[in-house]
Amino acid sequence: MRFAALALAACSLPTNPGRVSFDGRDYTVDYESDACLLGDGERVRCLGAGTLLAFDFTGDGVSDLALYQDTRDGFRDCFAYLDIYVNDGTPLRDASAVHAKWKEGHWDWIASDHYPGLASAPFVRFMREQDGAHP
């Protein structure tokens, strides 16, 4: 039973990492108010409030960054949002986000075929956990 728990933990999607890599550089993440990335002690970019994910959304073997925001209340606010910053060598300061909206169990506003990580087992498990926490 202990082995199964370890295997599940190893397959879960890490959230809010303390360090990330992007554009060939390493950054420390400060979560004091927003997810802010620091390089060489300097604030390089703040991505906003939410859950930071370092995960390969594009399927190229390199972790991208994404900010997941979920304030669903089951009444007025019924969507979750994901901003993906593709790690393609663009400097972090200049990287644009691809926006996606989680609606009724699927992603809108995004070409899912360009982001196979959205359908990967770890990310699907992450979204199921989020759905369970926000009925």
Side-chain angles (χ1 to χ4, degrees), residues 8-119:
L8 273 176
C11 294
S12 67
L13 190 64
T15 58
N16 294 329
R19 293 190 59 76
V20 296
S21 293
F22 194 88
D23 68 15
R25 296 180 58 200
D26 291 329
Y27 297 94
T28 301
V29 186
D30 176 17
Y31 294 99
E32 190 169 322
S33 58
D34 291 340
C36 295
L37 284 75
L38 311 171
D40 299 325
E42 301 279 329
R43 181 171 288 175
V44 176
R45 183 161 186 183
C46 291
L47 302 180
T51 302
L52 184 65
L53 306 169
F55 185 70
D56 182 11
F57 287 98
T58 58
D60 63 0
V62 177
S63 288
D64 305 297
L65 295 179
L67 190 68
Y68 177 77
Q69 300 165 333
D70 194 338
T71 57
R72 291 180 277 177
D73 62 8
F75 178 58
R76 292 180 188 202
D77 188 359
C78 51
F79 306 115
Y81 300 91
L82 185 70
D83 291 340
I84 299 173
Y85 297 86
V86 176
N87 193 355
D88 61 2
T90 302
L92 179 61
R93 290 182 205 268
D94 302 327
S96 298
V98 175
H99 306 287
K101 176 172 78 169
W102 183 249
K103 178 183 178 184
E104 300 171 354
H106 68 278
W107 290 104
D108 282 341
W109 303 351
I110 192 166
S112 297
D113 55 332
H114 293 152
Y115 301 93
L118 293 173

